[in-house]
Amino acid sequence: LQQEDGSRQRKERKKTVSFSSMPTEKKISSASDCINAMVDGSELKKVRSNSRIYHRYFLLDADMQSLRWEPTKKESEKAKIDVKSIKEVRTGKNTDTFRTNGTYDQISEDCAFSIIFGENYESLDLVANTADVANIWVTGLRYLISYGKHTLNMIESTQNNMRSSWLGELFDEADVNNSRKVSICAAVQLVKKLNPGLKNVKIELKFKEIHKAKDKAGSDVTRDEFIEVFHDLCTRPEIYFLFVQFSSNKEFLDSKDLMIFLEAEQGMAQVSEDTSLEVIHKYEPSKEGRLKGWLSLDGFTNYLLSPECHIFDPEQKTVCQDMNQPLSHYYINASHNTYLIEDQFRGPSDVTGYIRALKMGCRSVELDVWDGPDNEPIVFRSVIDVLNKYAFVASEFPLLLCLENHCSLKQQRVMFQHIKKILGDKIHIDPPKPEDCYLPSPLELKGKILLKGKKLSTNCTASEGEVTDEDEGAEMSQRVSIDSAEQQTLCSFNEVFASRCASDFPGDFVNYNKKYLARVYPSPMRIDSSNMNPQDFWKCGCQIVAMNYQTPGLMMDLNIGWFRQNGNCGYVLRPAIMREHVSYFSANTKDSVPGVSPQLLHIKIISGQNFPKPKGSGAKGDVVDPYAYVEIHGIPADCAEQRTKTVNQNGDNPLFDESFEFQINLPELAMVRFVVLDDDYIGDEFIGQYTIPFECLQPGFRHVPLQSLTGEVLPHTLLFVHVAITNRRGGGKPHKRGLSVRKGKRSREYASMRVLLIKAVDDVFKTAMLPLREATDLRENMQNAIVSFKELCGLSAVANLKQCILALSPRLTGPDNSPLLVFNLADQYPNLEHQGLLPEVLKKVTTTYDMTSKTLLENYEAVYERFLQTQKAAMEFHENLHDLAVKEGLKGRKLHKAVESFTWNITILKGQTDLLKHARSEVQENLKQIHYAALTSNLSKGGPAGGSSGSESKSRRSLEAIPEKAPVEEEELTDEDH
């Protein structure tokens, strides 16, 4: 089998620092666990803005009234913070101290947190050794802020009530004899039923450990023991930390908590309390929770494991793209040597190869036909029977049959008779005319089989009573629908020649493929049936890249992953820049694409579940040392990979907690591949993978189902991740980003027009120069303001505007619980209005949240219209561009350059128009989020009072933006002396 690409380099790199997943042997699974761990204390790094970092031991006083650290040069009574003075606990590197620290890049986002305290909103900025320790302190401190000295009493009164009652009922059902105990075998099966990914031996061992600790004789299990084992084995701490973050520090999520989570985190639209209650009734296991409308930790876990939280966008599971464009505008899922089930050197031929490929959504199969005994072409009849039965099982869109015809004329006649008799009207009859390069659409060809192959020879004499070769050959040619215009519409390229075209003529190759179908097949030198990288040719616009389906590995993962989108129908619409008649794109671009807004992909690998030992691994125990790779595949500018650290000896529930960031320059052609490998392997390191198109990613907290090397889903084997996508300005390194923002327009890059040396045309393009600058300023100013606003709200670039307002809302409430600031929702733009004297830090918030996003809305129409006018005027020259250039005396290279520059300029204009439209849509979405968050947070004026995001349909105006402004520095939040 094909080895994983790049595995040799990985083996050289991978011996990096490992870490054990938990700070102590005891699994943290409750708020009281967090409080107890804080009382015991932890070593944390204390960060100062002057790049100094101090190692200190922090602990919570036993009375839970204050937080202390040691050693210190101060008096011990000054090296503390009163819990009641804490205003907020922030996660990540989201204060000025972190942003201006010289070691910013070396500090893990997932290990950093800040305690904001005092009337002046000072910050104590800390970094834990692991993300788990940071989560413990953040969770415990937030509980203390909410409940003070009554925290433990509150926890004890509510903790595990719903879980205990639910598990108790399940236990009683299993206790058929009412003996208040069940056999250990029955208890193991009961736990296994609730968590199928657990190994029986691990569950049984846990029960035995409990019995041994109690010096208990016998092996029967009591109700309390069953609940204890479930609690220890089935509570996922990473989900618990997430759960309490959104539960307002309760032991359950109510319908409003869940509503905020679904909308703000999971990106659900138009969420109501009814939506939340539906989720609760569907996933909450306890009767009490369903009755009260509460989602327990177990219900929350069930929801996160459900198909609703799959990483793949459900809209892409059905055909969702325009299927009415010419065939040349689509990538087509294609198989090479379909009849082989192993490699081409020694592998047998079998029709099952066709069945497998067709069931996987393949829309182009290959068949070599040779003369066989008894006047029957070898395997032809069998394959045609299979096509008749399976051609449209997985997809109703056209199937391309590539015939490699090696038969004599006599057996060609037999081929024709089989096609006519078996496939009948499934064969597409109406071919394009040779002089016409028009190709029909997949929609027009639904249920049809297109034949591509050599035409029949017509130079032999007919026997008496036979149809003449000329007649039969004509009919066969008519049915070989693509070949009748083969020279114009479809060309097959050997991968070596196609690679040369891609390398030497990257722009011309893309332009050729706008009009014609290109099929790339593997080099004959691949006698092991290894696969080429399909993206090497997809980026050139090649529609049909034929893959050896029988050979698993990275390349087939990419092919299978790519065609998952659009309902796995075998057809994927190519990027617009590769379809538009006048557009400029080079397949080898190593930079951003003209007119395409780069996206920033943020992925956090949180944890894994139930990783199996690699199948091909040698003699070692069942324990694995997993680590994960995130790979980006696409145009050269987008290809990248990053890996987590290794978690030692934990394949059951390893915690990674590592965040990565990737810039995606051409999102329409990018794919994300998650790979899990074993760092302590003998022979084989591959555990599982999952490949997904970038545009199919769902934002929020998602589970990724891993697949084996051969593509089977590994049972209960998952990665738990968080996904967020922002624009380029919305992410990056904040301290450097802030610097670039402060430079303002001086450092700003503006799109430029190229000179054609054709005066009339150049004069038209000159009219776009000012609108290009204006459009860029409108977009960048708006995006800069969003960055500043997120920072002032204490959130990272990953956050959305609804999360910003929700995070800000506690600071906007005065001592008497009256709001200091409210959003006036009576107007189109939700203005922030003062309700009294504001602290300095809130003045900066209001300064940043200003009216400048109105600038984009007010100027959008004028700039947009000028773009359209320039495009229209320029395109009037398009048909006669060559003649105009000749009249201007241009020839040879200068003529070619002028045509290319025209295409470049039109691409820039179209792209900038699209970017401006996208910016306005972003503004509208942001204003909508602010509007709804103001209602949810009871910070609204002039809208429905005390509303929630479920009652938001009352005011769906064209809500439009969040502020643009020169950046405002957050007030320096000082730490006391070290």
Side-chain angles (χ1 to χ4, degrees):
L1 295 180
Q2 178 179 323
Q3 292 295 312
E4 286 296 309
D5 188 56
S7 63
R8 185 182 297 112
Q9 293 90 332
R10 286 173 177 164
K11 290 172 188 174
E12 294 170 358
R13 289 191 303 231
K14 71 187 176 123
K15 293 295 180 184
T16 57
V17 178
S18 302
F19 68 95
S20 52
S21 61
M22 294 306 300
T24 64
E25 286 187 7
K26 180 174 174 55
K27 183 186 288 186
I28 301 293
S29 57
S30 70
S32 55
D33 289 342
C34 296
I35 300 293
N36 291 334
M38 291 163 64
V39 171
D40 290 340
S42 307
E43 183 183 273
L44 303 172
K45 299 182 189 76
K46 186 175 166 188
V47 178
R48 298 286 296 275
S49 57
N50 55 11
S51 299
R52 288 179 293 177
I53 293 180
Y54 303 96
H55 292 260
R56 297 289 180 261
Y57 197 81
F58 285 77
L59 66 163
L60 178 68
D61 278 353
D63 62 4
M64 299 186 296
Q65 298 298 297
S66 55
L67 176 67
R68 299 178 180 273
W69 57 93
E70 53 190 33
T72 177
K73 291 183 178 178
K74 290 191 167 191
E75 297 175 21
S76 59
E77 282 304 302
K78 291 186 178 179
K80 71 171 188 176
I81 294 176
D82 289 336
V83 169
K84 62 177 178 289
S85 73
I86 299 176
K87 306 286 188 185
E88 176 191 350
V89 183
R90 285 184 196 174
T91 56
K93 302 178 287 186
N94 291 308
T95 64
D96 263 3
T97 301
F98 275 123
R99 293 183 196 112
T100 57
N101 191 282
T103 61
Y104 178 92
D105 289 336
Q106 285 76 52
I107 297 172
S108 164
E109 176 81 16
D110 306 299
C111 296
F113 64 101
S114 300
I115 300 170
I116 312 299
F117 65 97
E119 293 306 313
N120 294 321
Y121 289 79
E122 299 172 72
S123 73
L124 175 60
D125 300 285
L126 304 169
V127 182
N129 291 328
T130 69
D132 306 303
V133 173
N135 281 330
I136 288 169
W137 281 89
V138 169
T139 301
L141 286 169
R142 284 177 173 171
Y143 265 88
L144 289 170
I145 295 170
S146 296
Y147 303 105
K149 62 183 180 181
H150 303 295
T151 297
L152 288 180
N153 294 335
M154 187 284 307
I155 293 170
E156 288 171 8
S157 66
T158 62
Q159 187 178 39
N160 289 329
N161 283 347
M162 287 193 287
R163 171 181 278 184
S164 298
S165 62
W166 161 59
L167 291 175
E169 289 175 8
L170 291 178
F171 183 88
D172 292 343
E173 290 174 13
D175 179 17
V176 292
N177 298 321
N178 294 321
S179 58
R180 297 189 177 182
K181 59 187 178 182
V182 299
S183 68
I184 193 168
C185 181
V188 167
Q189 290 306 312
L190 193 52
V191 174
K192 176 87 172 179
K193 182 180 178 182
L194 298 173
N195 191 337
L198 286 174
K199 298 182 180 73
N200 286 13
V201 64
K202 183 173 183 178
I203 306 170
E204 186 175 344
L205 182 62
K206 197 70 181 177
F207 280 120
K208 289 179 178 178
E209 286 176 358
I210 290 173
H211 289 169
K212 185 176 180 181
K214 296 179 178 178
D215 291 326
K216 178 179 174 180
S219 60
D220 286 343
V221 173
T222 66
R223 176 196 283 196
D224 288 345
E225 289 167 349
F226 165 66
I227 293 173
E228 183 179 350
V229 166
F230 179 89
H231 181 81
D232 287 351
L233 295 182
C234 301
T235 304
R236 289 172 53 181
E238 75 277 24
I239 291 183
Y240 170 75
F241 289 130
L242 178 63
F243 175 77
V244 296
Q245 178 186 341
F246 286 93
S247 69
S248 307
N249 305 316
K250 304 187 297 292
E251 294 300 303
F252 58 86
L253 292 170
D254 61 30
S255 58
K256 289 187 178 179
D257 296 330
L258 182 57
M259 201 165 60
I260 291 171
F261 176 77
L262 295 176
E263 193 166 54
E265 278 295 339
Q266 302 300 86
M268 241 189 230
Q270 299 182 17
V271 180
S272 66
E273 284 198 59
D274 287 342
T275 311
S276 294
L277 291 172
E278 285 175 17
V279 170
I280 292 168
H281 290 146
K282 188 172 182 180
Y283 297 107
E284 173 53 42
S286 72
K287 290 178 183 176
E288 180 187 0
R290 293 194 297 272
L291 189 65
K292 293 180 176 178
W294 293 350
L295 193 68
S296 68
L297 176 59
D298 298 301
F300 188 56
T301 304
N302 290 342
Y303 166 70
L304 289 174
L305 285 167
S306 74
E308 293 182 48
C309 289
H310 194 294
I311 194 169
F312 193 92
D313 183 354
E315 289 187 9
Q316 296 276 354
K317 291 182 178 179
T318 57
V319 176
C320 55
Q321 296 178 354
D322 177 8
M323 302 304 290
N324 209 26
Q325 299 200 31
L327 281 179
S328 57
H329 285 189
Y330 298 85
Y331 296 115
I332 302 173
N333 196 354
S335 165
H336 178 63
N337 286 347
T338 316
Y339 46 86
L340 292 181
I341 54 176
E342 290 180 25
D343 67 62
Q344 63 192 53
F345 183 67
R346 61 182 181 276
S349 300
D350 197 289
V351 293
T352 57
Y354 291 90
I355 297 173
R356 176 188 58 193
L358 292 170
K359 284 184 173 181
M360 291 172 69
C362 183
R363 294 289 85 197
S364 174
V365 296
E366 186 182 52
L367 175 58
D368 280 76
V369 191
W370 302 84
D371 280 356
D374 302 322
N375 199 33
E376 183 67 44
I378 292 176
V379 305
F380 186 77
R381 169 76 187 254
S382 301
V383 171
I384 296 300
D385 282 333
V386 165
L387 296 185
N388 186 50
K389 185 175 180 180
Y390 292 98
F392 303 106
V393 167
S395 172
E396 61 185 353
F397 293 104
L399 174 69
L400 176 60
L401 174 58
C402 299
L403 286 172
E404 290 296 325
N405 181 8
H406 307 282
C407 288
S408 64
L409 182 60
K410 187 177 181 181
Q411 294 206 14
Q412 287 182 41
R413 292 196 192 101
V414 177
M415 288 168 55
F416 167 63
Q417 292 299 333
H418 288 331
I419 289 173
K420 184 177 181 180
K421 182 178 179 180
I422 298 170
L423 297 180
D425 60 5
K426 287 190 176 87
I427 293 293
H428 177 56
I429 294 175
D430 300 318
K433 298 174 184 176
E435 68 272 15
D436 180 8
C437 296
Y438 165 77
L439 279 171
S441 71
L443 199 61
E444 293 174 83
L445 295 170
K446 272 170 55 172
K448 295 295 183 182
I449 297 174
L450 286 68
L451 300 182
K452 184 258 179 198
K454 297 175 184 176
K455 294 181 185 178
L456 292 177
S457 170
T458 59
N459 59 1
C460 75
T461 305
S463 302
E464 187 178 352
E466 287 185 338
V467 178
T468 65
D469 295 325
E470 286 82 5
D471 292 338
E472 188 170 301
E475 186 173 358
M476 184 65 170
S477 293
Q478 184 186 38
R479 291 173 181 270
V480 179
S481 54
I482 288 187
D483 263 7
S484 58
E486 184 177 0
Q487 296 307 311
Q488 284 86 12
T489 57
L490 189 147
C491 226
S492 289
F493 300 93
N494 179 293
E495 88 173 91
V496 177
F497 179 74
S499 296
R500 196 179 306 133
C501 291
S503 174
D504 296 347
F505 311 103
D508 293 337
F509 202 13
V510 171
N511 286 333
Y512 171 87
N513 291 324
K514 288 177 183 176
K515 197 170 183 181
Y516 307 115
L517 279 167
R519 176 177 175 269
V520 181
Y521 59 90
S523 164
M525 299 302 292
R526 294 182 181 272
I527 58 172
D528 60 349
S529 289
S530 60
N531 274 310
M532 51 195 170
N533 187 338
Q535 285 206 314
D536 288 344
F537 305 103
W538 289 338
K539 71 181 182 183
C540 305
C542 295
Q543 297 87 349
I544 306 170
V545 182
M547 305 293 288
N548 287 303
Y549 269 54
Q550 70 274 22
T551 308
L554 167 61
M555 305 314 174
M556 266 310 290
D557 292 343
L558 295 177
N559 192 76
I560 292 169
W562 182 247
F563 286 103
R564 280 196 179 104
Q565 62 186 307
N566 201 28
N568 199 33
C569 74
Y571 286 81
V572 170
L573 197 59
R574 297 186 306 157
I577 201 165
M578 293 186 187
R579 290 183 274 119
E580 292 171 343
H581 181 52
V582 181
S583 63
Y584 181 89
F585 176 73
S586 170
N588 292 334
T589 181
K590 293 180 172 59
D591 204 345
S592 58
V593 179
V596 178
S597 179
Q599 301 292 296
L600 218 59
L601 172 63
H602 312 259
I603 292 183
K604 180 177 182 179
I605 305 292
I606 302 171
S607 65
Q609 295 294 305
N610 310 311
F611 293 157
K613 175 183 167 185
K615 276 192 174 180
S617 185
K620 57 173 261 188
D622 286 333
V623 175
V624 296
D625 296 345
Y627 64 102
Y629 263 96
V630 181
E631 302 171 348
I632 307 298
H633 298 266
I635 60 172
D638 291 343
C639 293
E641 64 176 32
Q642 295 195 57
R643 62 155 288 179
T644 68
K645 298 183 180 71
T646 298
V647 178
N648 285 330
Q649 299 189 356
N650 187 348
D652 294 330
N653 52 3
L655 295 176
F656 299 104
D657 277 319
E658 289 193 64
S659 298
F660 306 119
E661 189 177 277
F662 303 92
Q663 179 162 310
I664 311 294
N665 294 282
L666 186 57
E668 287 179 276
L669 201 59
M671 275 192 286
V672 183
R673 185 171 183 257
F674 300 91
V675 192
V676 177
L677 304 170
D678 182 6
D679 209 352
D680 183 23
Y681 68 97
I682 300 174
D684 184 17
E685 61 180 337
F686 181 82
I687 293 174
Q689 69 84 32
Y690 185 78
T691 306
I692 179 173
F694 174 84
E695 298 211 322
C696 295
L697 289 168
Q698 287 212 93
F701 291 91
R702 305 289 170 185
H703 276 95
V704 182
L706 296 183
Q707 298 176 336
S708 70
L709 182 65
T710 49
E712 293 86 12
V713 174
L714 295 167
H716 316 297
T717 302
L718 305 162
L719 273 177
F720 185 44
V721 303
H722 182 265
V723 176
I725 298 168
T726 63
N727 57 50
R728 178 179 53 185
R729 180 64 65 186
K733 300 170 183 175
H735 63 297
K736 293 183 179 178
R737 184 181 68 241
L739 189 64
S740 70
V741 168
R742 280 194 293 276
K743 286 181 181 175
K745 295 183 181 180
R746 288 196 301 275
S747 66
R748 191 164 285 173
E749 295 179 7
Y750 296 98
S752 59
M753 297 279 100
R754 292 181 179 177
V755 176
L756 280 69
L757 299 177
I758 304 174
K759 187 177 185 307
V761 184
D762 286 333
D763 286 346
V764 169
F765 283 128
K766 282 178 184 176
T767 65
M769 295 305 297
L770 183 58
L772 283 175
R773 295 183 69 87
E774 290 175 345
T776 301
D777 288 341
L778 289 172
R779 292 196 332 268
E780 298 264 327
N781 290 345
M782 180 267 290
Q783 292 170 359
N784 289 347
I786 292 174
V787 172
S788 297
F789 189 68
K790 287 177 182 178
E791 291 177 353
L792 287 175
C793 293
L795 297 177
S796 70
V798 175
N800 58 44
L801 270 293
K802 181 156 192 174
Q803 292 166 333
C804 286
I805 302 304
L806 294 172
L808 191 64
S809 61
R811 291 186 240 166
L812 303 183
T813 305
D816 58 351
N817 290 324
S818 61
L820 300 174
L821 289 168
V822 294
F823 292 88
N824 188 337
L825 305 182
D827 298 326
Q828 183 181 29
Y829 185 89
N831 295 305
L832 256 182
E833 296 184 357
H834 298 207
Q835 301 297 295
L837 193 62
L838 294 180
E840 196 62 34
V841 69
L842 287 185
K843 288 180 183 177
K844 293 191 174 182
V845 171
T846 57
T847 305
T848 304
Y849 183 88
D850 57 17
M851 304 294 289
T852 51
S853 57
K854 281 188 175 178
T855 308
L856 188 145
L857 297 174
E858 291 168 352
N859 290 275
Y860 168 82
E861 292 292 347
V863 177
Y864 185 77
E865 187 60 33
R866 285 156 74 188
F867 276 150
L868 294 184
Q869 289 172 358
T870 302
Q871 285 183 58
K872 183 179 178 181
M875 287 302 293
E876 289 179 1
F877 294 106
H878 181 246
E879 294 297 325
N880 303 315
L881 189 63
H882 184 275
D883 294 341
L884 286 170
V886 171
K887 283 183 181 179
E888 292 280 353
L890 302 181
K891 57 185 178 181
R893 183 174 177 79
K894 287 187 177 180
L895 175 60
H896 177 79
K897 192 72 176 174
V899 174
E900 184 181 274
S901 295
F902 181 88
T903 304
W904 168 273
N905 289 352
I906 292 294
T907 304
I908 291 293
L909 284 172
K910 287 180 179 176
Q912 292 295 316
T913 304
D914 289 343
L915 291 180
L916 189 59
K917 283 169 64 178
H918 179 78
R920 188 177 72 160
S921 297
E922 185 180 347
V923 160
Q924 291 171 332
E925 175 59 27
N926 288 337
L927 277 183
K928 193 187 298 180
Q929 290 190 20
I930 291 167
H931 184 98
Y932 296 162
L935 293 173
T936 301
S937 306
N938 292 320
L939 293 172
S940 62
K941 173 186 175 183
S948 69
S949 52
S951 57
E952 291 140 6
S953 59
K954 299 175 184 176
S955 183
R956 289 187 184 273
R957 311 177 185 92
S958 57
L959 301 169
E960 277 150 353
I962 190 69
E964 149 309 277
K965 189 188 183 315
V968 178
E969 286 273 88
E970 184 176 357
E971 177 179 302
E972 180 155 342
L973 303 174
T974 59
D975 191 349
E976 358 59 54
D977 191 21
H978 66 277

